[in-house]
């Protein structure tokens, strides 16, 4: 959970080198490759040594639900990629977003939520967490500052948004949202799954906490579900102690430890680990963390190829007379092109969305005729895949909610992989020939 940078030179490296070298720093005679610590528990010589771990008086491992060496090394790598001070892995991206919010919210609190977040995240905040007594105000990420300011209440504890919305592909204006959140004394939490730290580092624009579904580009091969939370260490919890008392007052479940006093900039992640993970247990398995680390080693190679291919596919679709519209922030003329150039000048992501003339039924028929491209409940891995959000990931929403979330009923979410772009385009062309 502490994710100390054990290599004194690590922060001097480029992000490409960090993808490969960060996290695991073997000592003389230790395995070159990060080992899988496939153990639930850890041995100690004396009862007193273990007791100090339970009291948070010493660092170490005693039960994998709280900490595991494999997981911690991978979390450290993600932490360095994002430029944070501490990070933790979770069992899924959903768990990461849940922990990120619940770590500072409780019954009677309020969250400002971007309307265009992923459908599962939207449901988590507006339905499930509402049952826990946490209310939301939904805001349009494109709204002006005056409108956004009106969404805040006395009990607002955080703002949650996505760097690139899934699947609406809205590019967040980080500086606008950070300015407003901080003016109200709350942190800005951003899900950076689609952009990844290769294309965007939100902390550089005022974001306080970043989450990831590591299931997507970070893993990159659709092998294992996982999530991550990274803290920038920049939000001053103590300054707003009355608002974030869970971090700034004694935790009686740990003999009166006050997280901000004992752990400083790492207070947020420490609390999420020793309190939420202790009680809720949404851990990532060591095997999944090991596989995730393999994916991270090539993240800097894969992301540019995803973006290159996506731009080729989006440009081709724009010229096809059967296509009604195309949405990709990398296209000149796109509504979010300028914001993308500001915050993600090297590329956005490999996901595009488009609709076909004839509406929803035609879009679905097109998908059924694809051969190379697979219909799967996934996005952002090496293989090109496709999904119809209104029928799949967002099917819990009514038409009004779909439109509010930036999801047209005919929207096709097309995740461009790292195959040859010409082969992807040829498959689209033959499927269009059937409609």
């Amino acid at each position: 959970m502490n994710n100390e940078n054990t290599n004194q030179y690590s922060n001097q490296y480029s992000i490409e080198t960090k993808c490969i070298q960060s996290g695991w720093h073997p000592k003389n005679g230790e395995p070159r490759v990060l080992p899988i610590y496939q153990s639930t528990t850890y041995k100690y010589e004396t009862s007193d040594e273990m007791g100090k771990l339970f009291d948070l008086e010493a660092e170490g491992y005693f039960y994998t639900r709280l900490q595991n060496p494999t997981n911690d090394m991978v979390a450290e790598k993600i932490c360095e990629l994002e430029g944070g001070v501490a990070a933790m892995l979770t069992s899924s991206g959903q768990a990461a977003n849940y922990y990120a919010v619940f770590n500072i919210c409780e019954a009677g609190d309020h969250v400002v939520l971007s309307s265009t977040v992923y459908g599962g995240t939207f449901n988590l905040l507006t339905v499930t967490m509402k049952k826990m007594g946490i209310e939301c105000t939904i805001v349009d990420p494109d709204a002006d500052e005056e409108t956004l300011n009106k969404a805040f209440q006395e009990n607002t504890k955080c703002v949650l948004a996505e760097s690139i919305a899934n699947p609406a592909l809205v590019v967040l204006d980080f500086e606008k949202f950070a300015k407003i959140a901080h003016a109200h004394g709350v942190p800005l939490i951003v899900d950076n799954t689609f952009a990844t730290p290769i294309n965007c580092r939100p902390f550089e624009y005022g974001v306080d906490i970043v989450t990831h579904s590591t299931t997507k580009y970070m893993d990159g091969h659709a092998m294992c579900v996982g999530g991550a939370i990274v803290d920038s260490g920049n939000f001053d919890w103590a300054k707003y102690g009355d608002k974030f008392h869970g971090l700034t007052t004694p935790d009686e479940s740990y003999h009166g430890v006050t997280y901000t006093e004992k752990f400083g900039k790492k207070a947020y992640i420490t609390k999420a680990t020793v309190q939420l993970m202790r009680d809720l247990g949404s851990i990532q398995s060591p095997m999944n963390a090991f596989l995730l680390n393999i994916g991270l080693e090539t993240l800097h190679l894969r992301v540019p190829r995803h973006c290159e291919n996506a731009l080729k596919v989006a440009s081709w679709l724009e010229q096809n007379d059967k296509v009604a519209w195309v949405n990709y922030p990398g296209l000149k003329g796109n509504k979010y092109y300028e914001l993308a150039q500001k915050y993600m000048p090297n590329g956005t992501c490999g996901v595009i969305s488009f609709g076909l003339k004839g509406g929803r039924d035609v879009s679905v028929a097109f998908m059924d005729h694809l051969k190379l491209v697979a219909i799967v409940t996934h996005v952002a891995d090496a293989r090109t895949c496709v999904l119809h959000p209104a029928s799949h990931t967002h099917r819990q929403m009514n038409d009004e909610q779909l439109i509010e979330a930036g999801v047209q009923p005919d929207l096709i979410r097309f995740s461009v992989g790292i195959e040859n772009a010409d082969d992807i385009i040829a498959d689209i062309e033959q499927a269009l020939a059937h409609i």
Side-chain angles (χ1 to χ4, degrees):
M1 65 186 168
N2 290 323
N3 308 114
E4 295 283 0
N5 293 329
T6 54
N7 186 328
Q8 62 178 319
Y9 303 109
S10 59
N11 282 327
Q12 300 174 18
Y13 294 142
S14 66
I15 198 164
E16 294 88 350
T17 302
K18 288 179 180 179
C19 281
I20 299 166
Q21 296 285 352
S22 291
W24 173 241
H25 304 293
K27 299 180 180 64
N28 191 42
E30 290 186 332
R32 183 66 186 91
V33 175
L34 173 66
I36 307 168
Y37 285 85
Q38 196 64 49
S39 180
T40 62
T41 192
Y42 307 84
K43 176 184 177 294
Y44 287 88
E45 297 295 335
T46 69
S47 175
D48 185 57
E49 286 178 297
M50 184 169 284
K52 289 180 179 178
L53 294 170
F54 276 94
D55 285 345
L56 304 182
E57 293 297 329
E59 291 187 13
Y61 301 96
F62 55 95
Y63 197 57
T64 282
R65 186 174 79 242
L66 284 149
Q67 286 183 268
N68 174 281
T70 305
N71 290 26
D72 279 5
M73 295 305 100
V74 179
E76 181 182 318
K77 177 177 285 190
I78 295 172
C79 187
E80 289 193 26
L81 292 176
E82 284 288 5
V85 298
M88 66 184 292
L89 300 186
T90 62
S91 59
S92 67
Q94 280 289 89
N97 282 330
Y98 173 51
Y99 278 32
V101 173
F102 195 56
N103 199 35
I104 50 177
C105 289
E106 59 188 38
D109 287 340
H110 174 260
V111 176
V112 175
L113 179 68
S114 169
S115 64
T116 58
V117 295
Y118 164 63
T121 305
F122 189 91
N123 199 68
L124 168 67
L125 271 292
T126 60
V127 178
T128 301
M129 295 189 77
K130 184 176 182 179
K131 295 176 183 177
M132 302 167 66
I134 299 170
E135 297 289 337
C136 275
T137 295
I138 312 302
V139 297
D140 182 346
D142 294 333
D144 59 30
E145 291 187 22
E146 181 181 357
T147 302
L148 292 173
N149 275 310
K150 292 177 181 178
F152 288 79
Q153 303 174 8
E154 287 296 318
N155 59 341
T156 301
K157 292 293 182 70
C158 65
V159 180
L160 179 62
E162 292 175 335
S163 55
I164 304 175
N166 175 12
L169 302 180
V170 171
V171 175
L172 189 72
D173 189 339
F174 296 111
E175 292 177 347
K176 178 180 74 173
F177 268 77
K179 175 185 175 182
I180 295 169
H182 296 160
H184 291 273
V186 301
L188 172 59
I189 304 173
V190 168
D191 185 327
N192 196 33
T193 295
F194 268 18
T196 82
I198 302 301
N199 282 344
C200 181
R201 285 160 54 96
F203 294 155
E204 296 176 0
Y205 302 105
V207 174
D208 300 292
I209 296 156
V210 158
T211 63
H212 284 277
S213 171
T214 62
T215 317
K216 309 305 190 299
Y217 288 121
M218 285 188 166
D219 167 88
H221 302 85
M223 290 191 296
C224 51
V225 174
I229 308 172
V230 187
D231 183 13
S232 69
N234 293 330
F235 191 82
D236 190 350
W237 306 105
K239 181 178 179 180
Y240 306 99
D242 56 333
K243 186 173 289 190
F244 302 104
H245 56 84
L247 286 160
T248 61
T249 60
D251 180 356
E252 296 308 321
S253 69
Y254 278 109
H255 308 290
V257 165
T258 299
Y259 295 105
T260 51
E261 292 179 2
K262 188 171 182 62
F263 299 102
K265 287 183 177 293
K266 297 179 180 179
Y268 175 87
I269 291 294
T270 300
K271 177 180 179 292
T273 302
V274 304
Q275 190 184 86
L276 297 189
M277 195 64 81
R278 174 197 65 188
D279 295 343
L280 300 172
S282 302
I283 62 168
Q284 186 167 147
S285 75
M287 175 60 80
N288 277 18
F290 174 82
L291 294 172
L292 167 58
N293 189 57
I294 294 173
L296 288 169
E297 290 182 351
T298 61
L299 185 65
H300 64 293
L301 300 175
R302 292 182 286 105
V303 168
R305 178 58 178 261
H306 281 290
C307 294
E308 176 188 342
N309 280 358
L311 184 58
K312 288 180 180 178
V313 172
S315 298
W316 185 89
L317 286 168
E318 267 196 321
Q319 304 303 315
N320 191 284
D321 59 8
K322 292 187 178 181
V323 176
W325 58 270
V326 181
N327 181 23
Y328 183 62
L331 287 172
K332 290 183 179 180
N334 182 272
K335 181 179 180 180
Y336 299 101
Y337 180 79
E338 295 302 327
L339 274 180
Q341 291 299 300
K342 177 180 179 179
Y343 295 122
M344 308 164 198
N346 295 323
T348 53
C349 65
V351 180
I352 65 179
S353 62
F354 63 96
L356 300 177
K357 294 176 181 176
R360 178 172 182 159
D361 292 341
V362 173
S363 294
V364 171
F366 156 77
M367 289 168 50
D368 291 345
H369 284 99
L370 291 165
K371 296 179 180 178
L372 173 70
V373 181
I375 301 173
V376 297
T377 309
H378 200 243
V379 68
D381 71 66
R383 304 163 190 85
T384 301
C385 57
V386 66
L387 188 115
H388 184 241
S391 300
H392 305 138
T393 55
H394 290 61
R395 69 180 298 123
Q396 76 274 14
M397 294 183 175
N398 58 39
D399 285 350
E400 183 178 343
Q401 289 174 321
L402 284 170
I403 299 299
E404 187 178 12
V407 180
Q408 300 294 328
D410 65 339
L411 185 149
I412 296 168
R413 186 181 73 180
F414 200 87
S415 178
V416 183
I418 57 175
E419 306 95 340
N420 185 292
D422 291 339
D423 291 335
I424 300 169
I425 291 170
D427 194 36
I428 296 172
E429 189 170 23
Q430 68 81 25
L432 287 174
H434 287 87
I435 60 172

